[in-house]
Amino acid sequence: MLAPVIMVHGAFCGGWTFDAFRQPFEAAGHRVLTPDLIGHDGASSAAGVSMSDYARQIARLAETCETPPILIGHSMGGLVAGMAASKLASGRAKISKLILLAPSAPWGVSGASLEEAVSAVSLYTFGPYWLQAIAPDYGVVRRYSVDKLARPERKAIFARMTAESGRALWETLNWWLDPFMTTSISAPGCPVLAIAGGQDVIHPPATVRQTAARLGGGVEVFPEMSHWLPGEPGWENVAQRCLDFISAEDRAAA
């Protein structure tokens, strides 16, 4: 039986992020789970939710799987997946493989671009934003996340977005102010692959390499792609690379 796959979405998004991306995995025989993180179902608020709450949610879902699952996380969901895998590494439940798509950087990893630095301070214009649920901003989404998509597709994605936990954003973007080291990660004891878009300025390859190094994994860069790796042009190649990584590691373990 093939390992189940848990796909973890990024900030402001939901399990719908993977509506297309999940299909090649299901065609290959994997059961795919795409949960909405706490407060992202459109019926509840994410205000006050911590990154540790997200990681705990995914770790608990992994523990319900009959066989060790594969975690695939995008953007902030990549950091959540890394945190969950790190948490599970010290327990009885294990992760089979960990794949990060343009992951947010964990505690201790400094950004490699001006855009990363700007994003870390821009939210202070909302005041104590860590107490709030922050609504998505179309200008930011268009410029940094879905810049490779046509306008109708960008608008359709933005229409599905929900408010994000300001606390989770603060813990991720301002980790150096967090004495609890909430987003710290460590090698999960399983094969790790990180994928970066060569034109991604919010989580550029240089930062993704640092994140992968923390987890003891490798990095592959898709030069023509940006941040929306699960859905922008070329996503099929990203999905295939993930499947190749999974099957290659399975053959190596056999």
Side-chain angles (χ1 to χ4, degrees):
M1 182 174 65
L2 295 179
V5 177
I6 300 173
M7 297 183 175
V8 188
H9 66 80
F12 305 103
C13 296
W16 52 262
T17 297
F18 305 104
D19 283 353
F21 193 77
R22 66 185 293 164
Q23 294 174 19
F25 296 84
E26 291 174 326
H30 294 277
R31 181 168 68 98
V32 179
L33 306 173
T34 59
D36 292 326
L37 291 176
I38 301 167
H40 293 73
D41 58 1
S44 57
S45 173
V49 180
S50 170
M51 286 290 285
S52 61
D53 295 322
Y54 292 152
R56 192 176 301 113
Q57 175 189 357
I58 297 305
R60 287 173 176 167
L61 179 59
E63 289 173 338
T64 67
C65 295
E66 294 182 3
T67 58
I70 299 161
L71 293 188
I72 299 179
H74 173 241
S75 195
M76 192 181 80
L79 179 53
V80 171
M83 292 169 62
S86 299
K87 176 182 177 64
L88 289 169
S90 60
R92 289 180 296 176
K94 301 297 180 184
I95 296 301
S96 172
K97 298 166 190 70
L98 176 64
I99 301 175
L100 311 178
L101 309 177
S104 298
W107 195 97
V109 170
S110 298
S113 72
L114 176 61
E115 287 78 7
E116 288 173 288
V118 169
S119 67
V121 299
S122 62
L123 287 171
Y124 282 98
T125 59
F126 290 97
Y129 73 89
W130 47 90
L131 302 177
Q132 308 170 40
I134 303 298
D137 181 287
Y138 180 70
V140 173
V141 172
R142 176 187 59 79
R143 182 175 181 182
Y144 297 122
S145 187
V146 294
D147 49 298
K148 293 292 184 180
L149 298 177
R151 186 174 185 274
E153 295 174 284
R154 295 197 302 262
K155 287 290 188 178
I157 288 173
F158 183 74
R160 301 186 74 176
M161 288 184 165
T162 57
E164 183 54 68
S165 165
R167 179 179 176 181
L169 293 172
W170 182 85
E171 291 167 341
T172 301
L173 299 174
N174 294 274
W175 56 261
W176 60 89
L177 298 174
D178 180 8
F180 301 106
M181 301 171 61
T182 304
T183 64
S184 60
I185 57 176
S186 58
C190 68
V192 179
L193 172 67
I195 296 178
Q199 298 182 34
D200 187 346
V201 296
I202 199 66
H203 296 326
T207 304
V208 174
R209 287 190 180 95
Q210 294 181 68
T211 300
R214 287 288 181 94
L215 294 164
V219 178
E220 182 156 339
V221 177
F222 283 71
E224 302 303 317
M225 298 190 72
S226 185
H227 186 70
W228 196 253
L229 296 178
E232 68 182 58
W235 71 263
E236 297 93 340
N237 296 327
V238 175
Q240 187 57 56
R241 179 65 188 94
C242 295
L243 287 167
D244 290 345
F245 172 75
I246 291 168
S247 61
E249 292 294 334
D250 285 342
R251 289 194 298 270

